[in-house]
């Protein structure tokens, strides 16, 4: 491990509709310290150097999902990307998440992404009279939700999916489908049949062709493809 | 500059735990409600809470709300208001069960009930032995909770204004609150949200310190706005330093790690907490553990090349338990400490974590200020809940897992009180005072036209370094005095910050400058209040108030058993008595605090 | 009116059919490779004799039907992805379907004229 400060080169997608006629790639470098472990640390230094660079960030520990972007061609969270993971001597290329409209620089308009999330009715449906205490759920039943409920809605997966790029208004996308399965898998939820009906559609669910880009980029190591497979499995069970 | 006006029954500022909980209340009651939030709701910092939420469900051990109340009062070093504390702990079970009904994925016991783990300061039978009271969803309780509450809001159709930065509170000449001004970050448009009820749920301001577990967004926006509008801030000298932030990175490692059996060790490998808290050991309350750690480091028993951290050791625990109960911690240790905590201990240091003080409220969530003889007169139309508010349930030191409980109980109660007032027709849309909005516009205009001004980043950094050095875990008389002067000088720079980026579209440089306006109010309130309080209590410990027989732990109840109220105008200080009378039970009398 | 409409309530059958037909085609391919390796097509006459076998005709027909059904779903999805005007898309769907049905008839003719 080096102990000295070093200079890092960046190539960053820049676009401010207030000022720029069209987007361009900005070459910029910044000196980082040894303690700047993560890409986000370096970006905060970049922001000090050029305060017009816009990007979202909040928790800086990979749970809020704000700082998703396209890093050297692959979607990821800046706060979970190690500076040491970049090949030395080559500029780090940062672009906004692909497939969503750019508001400015690295900030994308996520309306469509959240619309799809909302479209799967992301809340527990249970019409039984409310018990006075908690509803019971065995540890094994609860375990079914592991790998599903941890999603941080960063949109790395959906914006890495060609089916979502092509039909963002019609294909729910990996994040939304993961959430859909999170409720289907919950023993407390009673709307399984409606949820399956809601997804039985050539676009909403069946535009997934299992190419697994979502699995490849998920910063929380979740597996939307597996969840989508389980939804299809349930539909099949229901149909035969 | 132009602005438009939009009318709502209620406007909620902030969509973290408290804001979302209040929003559920208002939306379910059919009120026309706007929830303003500067980040998408699930990005609020509640998402980072790890260990759990306290409730005396008694799923694993016998438990009772009265014991929880005792622990909270004791944890607060008797500075918490006992009516609010009783209200909170008595409503804990209901609020946690509601979350379960919303669909929150709590971990489960074999009998199907919610899993509970031990946490610092939570004891059974009035301080006898640790009790399992913290209801947890692995070590992602905040995430599970925030998402469950957002989902509930989706179900009840709450109207969110996402990525809107609130700017100023609107008060009229009578002091009534009529809404807020806010800016749409995407377009730079300024809108006055005219409301019959305004609820602040803007979270804490941990970013006044250099080293903090808090997110970048925790800039005390609501607290700053309230202060600028003439509302006093209560008990701002009390800041919790969480014992286990990852050394260097500041990222939080939950106390649940010690709840599951983790041990703190110094460079000699010694379990040093046995010396400081023979009974509760590593699960003593946070102020005590943090001070013990700093003492170990100061006395040369720190670890690492600079001897500047201690170690949190869980290598003796069953790896399966760690991966099941603390999977997020394993991830954090690898990502931010570069260690595999199954095999190596994690380097940790006390890190600024939680603001115990805030906007003074009562247990109904109403903001209260002194007026005439009454030191707690509600401000019409104004409510606050969560970390930005001071009910005061945490007093001089908060117990772990009481923060998530605070935001649930008081988020709900602020929402409920607002609904009741709205339904009773007690509130109308009084005319908006133009001057109030002009003030906001003038502030924006100043920032946009500032020349030869101060750099936002440098000014913020100077404030953070000053606060870290002058108002940290241990406080020193001379350092505090000097700190006040430094912060007041930095305030001058905050008044002349300059940004190079003048774009109207998603201008984060402008937002950071506006956030600094709020941070500096919090920093001033903190250091001025701390400088004045010449005793040691809870998280506020001074060198000139040491442990003596007359004043055990340096606590001076005769002179200082009272709440601080800091006013922005001339940094004036006022005080109000601690509410020692609970709602129904007997008062928990003053006693020396030991674990 | 421009409104995004989804919720056609079909898809599972097609998804399943695509997988089943793929399996049929894969099995047929292996069968044919084995037959070729076994010398079934060493000469034009041998091949003709092989194909005249009733069982071979039936599996060949199943293969062709699978291929056309598989192609129907695939091509239809391409039209759905790339052709936005509903009128044009419907026309292409119909033409595709008619062509594939025609091919199926043609296949029968070829297979059973032997």
């Amino acid at each position: 491990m080096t102990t000295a400060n070093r200079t890092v080169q960046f190539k960053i997608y820049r676009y401010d509709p207030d000022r720029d006629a069209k987007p361009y790639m900005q070459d910029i470098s910044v000196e980082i310290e040894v303690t700047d472990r993560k890409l986000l640390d370096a970006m905060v230094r970049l922001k000090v150097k050029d305060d017009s660079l816009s990007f979202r960030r909040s928790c800086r520990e990979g749970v809020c999902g704000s700082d998703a972007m396209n890093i050297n061609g692959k979607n990821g969270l800046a706060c979970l990307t190690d500076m040491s993971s970049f090949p030395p001597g080559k500029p780090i290329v940062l672009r906004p998440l692909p497939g969503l409209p750019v508001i400015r620089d690295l900030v994308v308009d996520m309306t469509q992404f959240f619309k799809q999330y909302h479209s799967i009715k992301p809340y527990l449906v249970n019409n039984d009279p409310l018990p006075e205490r908690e509803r019971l759920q065995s540890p094994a039943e609860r375990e079914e939700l592991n790998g599903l409920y941890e999603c941080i809605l960063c949109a790395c997966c959906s914006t890495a999916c060609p089916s979502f790029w092509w039909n963002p208004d019609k294909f729910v996308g990996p994040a939304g489908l993961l959430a859909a399965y999170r409720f289907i898998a919950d023993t407390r939820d009673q709307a399984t049949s409606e949820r399956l009906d809601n997804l039985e559609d050539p676009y909403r669910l069946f535009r997934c062709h299992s190419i697994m880009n979502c699995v490849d980029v998920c910063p929380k190591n979740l597996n939307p493809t597996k969840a989508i497979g389980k939804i299809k499995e349930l539909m099949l069970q229901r149909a035969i | 500059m132009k602005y438009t006006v939009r009318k709502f029954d209620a406007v909620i500022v902030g969509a973290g735990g408290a804001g979302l909980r209040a929003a559920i209340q208002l939306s379910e009651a059919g009120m026309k409600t706007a929830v303003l939030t500067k980040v998408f709701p699930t990005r609020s910092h509640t998402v980072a809470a790890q260990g759990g939420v306290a409730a005396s469900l008694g799923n694993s051990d016998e438990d009772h709300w009265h014991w929880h109340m005792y622990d909270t009062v004791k944890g607060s070093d008797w500075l918490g208001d006992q009516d609010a504390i009783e209200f909170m702990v008595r409503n804990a079970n209901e609020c946690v069960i509601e979350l379960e009904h919303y669909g929150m994925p709590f971990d489960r016991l074999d009998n199907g009930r919610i899993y509970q783990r031990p946490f610092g300061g939570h004891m059974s039978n009035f301080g006898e032995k640790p009790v399992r009271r913290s209801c947890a969803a692995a070590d992602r309780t905040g995430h599970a909770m925030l998402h469950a509450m957002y989902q509930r809001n989706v179900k009840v159709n709450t109207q969110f204004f996402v990525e809107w930065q609130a700017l100023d509170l609107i008060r009229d000449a009578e002091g009534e609150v009529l809404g807020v001004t806010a800016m749409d970050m995407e377009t730079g448009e300024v809108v006055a949200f005219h409301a019959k009820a305004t609820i602040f749920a803007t979270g804490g301001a941990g970013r006044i310190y250099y080293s903090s577990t808090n997110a970048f967004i925790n800039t005390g926006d609501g607290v700053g706005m309230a202060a600028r509008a003439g509302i006093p801030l209560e008990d701002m000298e009390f800041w919790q330093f969480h014992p286990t932030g990852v050394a260097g990175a500041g990222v939080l490692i939950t106390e649940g790690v010690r709840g599951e059996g983790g041990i703190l060790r110094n460079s000699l490998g010694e379990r040093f907490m046995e010396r400081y808290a023979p009974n509760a050991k590593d699960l003593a309350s946070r102020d005590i553990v943090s001070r013990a750690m700093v003492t170990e480091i100061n006395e040369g028993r720190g670890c690492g090349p600079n001897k500047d951290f201690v170690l949190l050791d869980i290598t003796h625990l069953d790896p399966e338990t760690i991966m099941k109960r603390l999977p997020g911690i394993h991830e954090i240790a690898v990502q931010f400490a570069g260690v595999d905590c199954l095999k190596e201990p994690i380097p940790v240091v006390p890190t600024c974590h939680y603001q115990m003080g805030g906007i003074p409220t009562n247990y109904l969530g109403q903001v209260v200020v002194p007026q005439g003889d009454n030191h707690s007169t509600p401000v019409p139309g104004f409510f606050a809940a969560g970390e930005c508010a001071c009910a005061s349930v945490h007093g001089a030191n908060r117990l772990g897992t009481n923060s998530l409980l605070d935001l649930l109980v008081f988020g709900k109660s602020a929402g409920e009180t607002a609904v009741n007032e709205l339904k009773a027709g007690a509130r109308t849309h009084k005319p908006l005072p133009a001057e109030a909005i002009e003030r906001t516009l003038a502030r924006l205009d100043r920032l946009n036209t500032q020349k030869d001004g101060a750099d936002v980043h440098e000014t913020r950094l100077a404030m953070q370094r000053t606060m870290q050095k002058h108002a940290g875990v241990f406080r020193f008389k001379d350092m505090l005095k000097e700190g006040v002067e430094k912060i007041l000088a930095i305030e001058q720079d905050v008044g002349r910050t300059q940004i190079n980026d003048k774009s109207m579209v998603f201008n984060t440089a402008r937002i950071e400058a506006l956030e600094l306006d709020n941070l500096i109010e919090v920093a001033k309130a903190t250091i001025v209040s701390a400088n004045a309080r010449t005793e040691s209590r809870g998280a506020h410990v001074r060198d000139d108030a040491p442990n003596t027989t007359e004043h055990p732990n340096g606590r001076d109840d005769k002179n200082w058993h009272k709440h601080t109220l800091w006013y922005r105008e001339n940094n004036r200080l006022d005080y109000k008595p601690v509410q020692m009378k609970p709602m129904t039970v007997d008062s928990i009398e003053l006693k020396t605090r030991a674990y | 009116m421009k409104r995004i409409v989804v919720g056609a309530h079909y898809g599972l059958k097609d998804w399943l059919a695509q997988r089943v037909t793929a399996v049929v085609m894969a099995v047929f391919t292996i069968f044919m490779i084995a037959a070729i390796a076994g010398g079934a097509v060493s000469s034009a006459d041998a091949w003709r004799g092989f194909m005249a076998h009733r069982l071979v005709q039936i599996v060949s027909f199943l293969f062709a039907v699978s291929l056309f059904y598989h192609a129907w779903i695939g091509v239809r999805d391409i039209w759905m992805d790339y052709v936005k005007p509903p009128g044009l898309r419907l026309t292409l769907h119909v033409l595709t379907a008619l062509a594939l049905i025609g091919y199926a008839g043609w296949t029968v003719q070829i297979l059973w004229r032997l």
Side-chain angles (χ1 to χ4, degrees):
Chain A
M1 209 164 134
T2 53
T3 52
N5 294 354
R6 63 187 177 109
T7 302
V8 185
Q9 307 286 332
F10 284 91
K11 249 185 166 20
I12 304 181
Y13 177 99
R14 298 299 304 268
Y15 176 58
D16 174 3
D18 224 14
R19 218 175 30 198
D20 307 320
K22 58 179 201 238
Y24 63 98
M25 295 301 286
Q26 175 194 27
D27 291 298
I28 185 170
S29 65
V30 73
E31 189 172 306
I32 64 164
E33 293 178 10
V34 190
T35 47
D36 298 328
R37 289 173 68 100
K38 302 291 178 185
L39 172 59
L40 183 63
D41 299 326
M43 292 182 69
V44 168
R45 289 197 188 276
L46 275 172
K47 174 94 178 151
V48 173
K49 193 169 171 180
D50 177 355
D51 74 357
S52 71
L53 174 65
S54 284
F55 55 91
R56 295 186 176 105
R57 84 282 179 272
S58 178
C59 75
R60 59 83 174 89
E61 57 187 71
V63 291
C64 79
S66 298
D67 62 349
M69 57 189 72
N70 188 268
I71 305 158
N72 278 351
K74 189 174 170 184
N75 292 352
L77 298 182
C79 62
L80 292 185
T81 304
D82 276 313
M83 284 307 286
S84 60
S85 70
F86 295 111
K90 277 199 195 151
I92 299 166
V93 183
L94 302 181
R95 293 173 185 272
L97 288 176
L100 293 176
V102 174
I103 294 174
R104 177 179 172 174
D105 298 344
L106 301 173
V107 178
V108 291
D109 180 351
M110 298 183 74
T111 310
Q112 198 57 255
F113 172 78
F114 287 121
K115 225 180 200 168
Q116 292 297 359
Y117 173 68
H118 292 154
S119 81
I120 59 100
K121 297 198 166 53
Y123 44 81
L124 194 82
V125 175
N126 183 315
N127 296 320
D128 285 346
L130 288 178
E132 274 192 29
R133 291 289 305 260
E134 64 265 50
R135 293 194 188 94
L136 300 183
Q137 191 173 45
S138 73
E141 290 169 339
R142 165 61 182 77
E143 205 130 300
E144 294 287 316
L145 307 182
N146 285 350
L148 305 171
Y149 82 97
E150 300 94 324
C151 172
I152 58 174
L153 299 175
C154 65
C156 279
C157 59
S158 292
T159 61
C161 173
S163 289
F164 188 78
W165 294 338
W166 208 245
N167 288 300
D169 49 352
K170 295 180 187 149
F171 175 49
V172 173
L177 291 169
L178 184 83
Y181 186 62
R182 178 249 172 273
F183 289 100
I184 291 170
D186 196 322
T187 50
R188 299 169 294 173
D189 189 88
Q190 296 176 328
T192 307
S193 173
E194 290 86 335
R195 293 184 191 282
L196 294 179
D197 286 348
N198 177 298
L199 293 174
E200 164 99 63
D201 181 89
Y203 288 105
R204 286 178 60 71
L205 172 68
F206 289 102
R207 268 303 181 269
C208 168
H209 299 303
S210 310
I211 64 164
M212 298 178 78
N213 275 14
C214 51
V215 183
D216 189 38
V217 298
C218 178
K220 305 306 281 183
N221 298 314
L222 307 179
N223 190 333
T225 306
K226 195 171 151 198
I228 292 167
K230 297 239 178 159
I231 296 175
K232 288 172 178 168
E233 219 174 86
L234 273 177
M235 274 188 188
L236 189 60
Q237 268 183 34
R238 177 172 81 153
I240 56 173
Chain B
M1 240 179 145
K2 286 192 313 212
Y3 65 91
T4 46
V5 177
R6 295 192 63 170
K7 278 191 185 188
F8 290 90
D9 288 331
V11 55
I12 298 173
V13 185
L20 289 182
R21 189 63 193 81
I24 291 171
Q25 228 51 33
L26 283 146
S27 292
E28 283 183 345
M31 299 297 159
K32 191 182 173 200
T33 308
V35 182
L36 310 186
T37 170
K38 65 177 174 177
V39 293
F40 184 79
T42 63
R43 320 230 185 278
S44 310
H45 203 51
T46 303
V47 81
Q50 299 171 355
V53 50
S56 53
L57 295 174
N59 285 354
S60 288
D61 303 320
E62 191 194 349
D63 204 357
H64 194 280
W65 62 261
H66 204 176
W67 301 344
H68 185 190
M69 177 179 172
Y70 176 84
D71 296 338
T72 305
V73 171
K74 178 182 172 187
S76 81
D77 218 347
W78 275 267
L79 194 68
D81 287 333
Q82 296 192 11
D83 56 344
I85 294 175
E86 183 181 339
F87 182 83
M88 179 175 81
V89 298
R90 289 186 73 157
N91 280 286
N93 290 9
E94 184 186 303
C95 282
V96 169
I97 297 297
E98 270 168 1
L99 279 177
E100 196 283 327
H101 291 168
Y102 295 164
M104 179 167 163
F106 283 106
D107 282 4
R108 300 291 175 150
L109 297 164
D110 285 336
N111 66 7
R113 298 212 176 272
I114 294 172
Y115 169 75
Q116 296 185 284
R117 62 160 61 107
F119 240 78
H122 290 284
M123 318 281 265
S124 67
N125 204 14
F126 305 102
E128 213 173 79
K129 61 174 199 295
V131 66
R132 284 172 279 188
R133 185 179 288 151
S134 165
C135 311
D139 54 0
R140 306 186 177 99
T141 311
H143 172 280
M145 181 184 285
L146 191 68
H147 280 252
M149 284 204 278
Y150 176 67
Q151 289 158 357
R152 180 70 179 189
N153 273 288
V154 171
K155 186 174 184 184
V156 297
N157 261 324
T158 301
Q159 188 179 2
F160 287 100
F161 288 75
V162 176
E163 290 174 338
W164 282 67
Q165 173 75 40
L167 299 170
D168 281 296
L169 190 64
I170 305 173
R171 285 182 91 186
D172 68 5
E174 283 88 57
E176 290 197 25
V177 168
L178 305 178
V180 288
T181 47
M183 176 187 276
D184 181 357
M185 290 163 64
E186 191 178 329
T187 61
E189 183 198 5
V190 175
V191 171
F193 286 84
H194 192 184
K196 297 178 197 168
T198 304
I199 302 179
F200 271 15
T202 54
R207 285 276 157 177
I208 62 168
Y209 284 93
Y210 181 70
S211 169
S212 169
T213 64
N214 283 198
F216 283 103
I217 56 167
N218 294 140
T219 53
D221 295 343
V223 183
M225 285 188 276
R228 277 198 300 279
I231 307 278
L233 302 181
E234 180 175 345
D235 292 341
M236 289 302 291
E237 61 271 45
F238 298 101
W239 282 85
Q240 178 160 82
F241 285 78
H242 195 289
T244 54
V246 173
V251 175
L252 174 70
I253 301 277
T254 174
E255 191 170 310
V257 169
R258 282 170 285 140
E260 297 286 349
I263 290 170
L264 289 164
R265 296 187 192 282
N266 59 19
S267 61
L268 310 171
E270 181 198 10
R271 184 181 190 181
F272 57 87
M273 278 315 297
E274 286 177 332
R275 282 189 275 117
Y276 298 87
N279 198 15
K281 299 191 182 79
D282 298 272
L283 284 179
S285 90
R286 287 179 179 171
D287 56 333
I288 296 189
V289 180
S290 283
R291 274 199 296 280
M293 290 166 70
V294 174
T295 306
E296 290 298 306
I297 292 167
N298 287 348
E299 291 176 0
R301 292 187 294 279
C303 307
N306 302 320
K307 294 181 166 296
D308 56 358
F309 57 80
V310 299
L311 294 171
L312 176 59
D313 188 3
I314 51 171
T315 55
H316 55 286
L317 300 184
D318 171 28
E320 214 172 288
T321 309
I322 297 177
M323 295 314 284
K324 186 171 173 203
R325 299 292 183 207
L326 307 163
I329 292 307
H330 184 257
E331 213 176 300
I332 286 174
V334 171
Q335 281 279 353
F336 294 97
V339 301
D340 177 357
C341 60
L342 301 177
K343 299 185 187 112
E344 296 164 83
I346 311 165
V348 291
V349 287
T351 308
C352 172
H353 183 56
Y354 190 85
Q355 163 193 312
M356 262 81 72
I359 303 167
T361 61
N362 56 21
Y363 63 82
L364 295 171
Q366 297 168 308
V367 175
V368 291
V369 295
Q371 206 172 63
D373 293 340
N374 186 353
H375 52 73
S376 291
T377 311
V379 178
F382 194 24
F383 306 83
E387 191 172 342
C388 76
C390 180
S392 132
V393 285
H394 310 307
N397 172 66
R398 173 173 72 77
L399 291 191
T401 69
N402 266 355
S403 57
L404 289 184
L405 180 58
D406 170 351
L407 60 84
L408 286 178
V409 171
F410 295 108
K412 181 179 178 184
S413 115
E416 225 165 42
T417 311
V419 167
N420 291 341
E421 288 190 10
L422 290 168
K423 279 194 172 159
R427 305 277 313 150
T428 55
H429 278 113
K430 285 179 74 181
L432 281 182
E435 330 71 86
I437 297 156
E438 292 302 328
R439 267 199 293 278
T440 299
L441 299 180
R443 196 156 68 90
L444 289 173
D445 195 48
R446 198 282 303 158
L447 182 61
N448 285 338
T449 54
Q450 181 75 45
K451 294 212 167 52
D452 303 318
D455 181 81
V456 174
H457 172 75
E458 292 301 330
T459 310
R460 186 177 51 212
L461 198 59
M463 174 197 68
Q464 291 170 333
R465 291 229 157 99
T466 307
M467 291 305 292
Q468 193 79 27
K469 192 172 158 194
H470 293 263
V473 175
F474 282 108
R475 294 165 177 187
F476 303 90
K477 187 183 175 209
D478 300 338
M479 293 288 278
L480 280 169
K481 194 158 164 279
E482 200 184 315
V484 171
E485 280 158 29
K486 282 190 176 175
I487 287 294
L488 294 181
I490 292 166
E491 185 194 10
Q492 299 303 311
D493 282 342
V494 175
R496 47 186 276 288
T497 46
Q498 181 181 346
I499 50 173
N500 300 314
D501 182 9
K502 312 280 191 207
S503 169
M504 292 307 281
V505 181
F506 220 95
N507 187 332
T508 47
R510 181 180 292 128
I511 297 298
E512 285 187 30
L514 293 168
E515 288 172 336
L516 183 56
D517 286 352
N518 298 320
L519 281 168
I520 194 68
E521 300 300 336
V522 179
K524 277 190 297 176
T526 299
I527 202 147
V528 170
S529 305
N531 184 44
R533 185 178 284 271
T534 53
E535 65 155 356
S536 296
R537 184 186 297 270
H540 173 70
V541 167
R542 304 171 52 117
D543 66 329
D544 55 344
N547 184 18
T548 60
T549 36
E550 195 194 345
H551 297 303
N553 301 329
R555 203 174 83 190
D556 178 1
D557 288 327
K558 192 163 146 266
N559 293 306
W560 287 104
H561 187 233
K562 56 188 180 185
H563 295 295
T564 308
L565 290 175
W566 170 87
Y567 289 83
R568 180 172 183 266
E569 204 176 19
N570 303 323
N571 288 302
R572 179 166 66 88
L573 291 175
D574 193 1
Y575 293 90
K576 69 174 183 182
V578 175
Q579 176 60 264
M580 289 293 281
K581 197 176 158 351
M583 301 176 77
T584 62
V585 289
D586 287 340
S587 176
I588 295 167
E589 296 298 336
L590 283 159
K591 213 170 105 178
T592 302
R593 186 160 159 261
Y595 284 95
Chain C
M1 188 182 71
K2 195 172 182 301
R3 180 192 282 280
I4 308 285
V5 278
V6 282
H9 292 296
Y10 74 91
L12 175 70
K13 207 177 72 202
D14 295 339
W15 173 80
L16 185 63
Q18 225 172 12
R19 266 125 201 96
V20 172
T21 53
V23 171
V24 172
M25 288 189 287
V27 171
F28 179 80
T29 307
I30 294 163
F31 169 73
M32 282 308 281
I33 290 170
I36 291 163
V41 296
S42 53
S43 67
D45 283 343
W47 193 4
R48 190 175 286 269
F50 175 71
M51 290 306 292
H53 200 282
R54 178 54 52 89
L55 184 72
V56 176
Q57 285 176 335
I58 289 171
V59 293
S60 301
F61 176 68
L62 286 178
F63 165 76
V65 170
S66 295
L67 174 67
F68 297 141
Y69 201 86
H70 199 88
W72 156 243
I73 297 162
V75 175
R76 183 199 66 194
D77 279 5
I78 293 172
W79 298 142
M80 285 166 89
D81 276 345
Y82 294 93
V83 181
K84 297 294 172 187
L88 179 59
R89 189 190 288 176
L90 182 61
T91 310
L92 288 167
H93 280 193
V94 171
L95 291 177
T96 306
L98 290 176
L100 291 170
I101 293 167
Y103 293 153
W106 192 9
T107 308
V108 170
Q109 206 191 359
I110 293 169
L111 284 172
W112 272 278
R113 80 177 166 209
L114 294 170

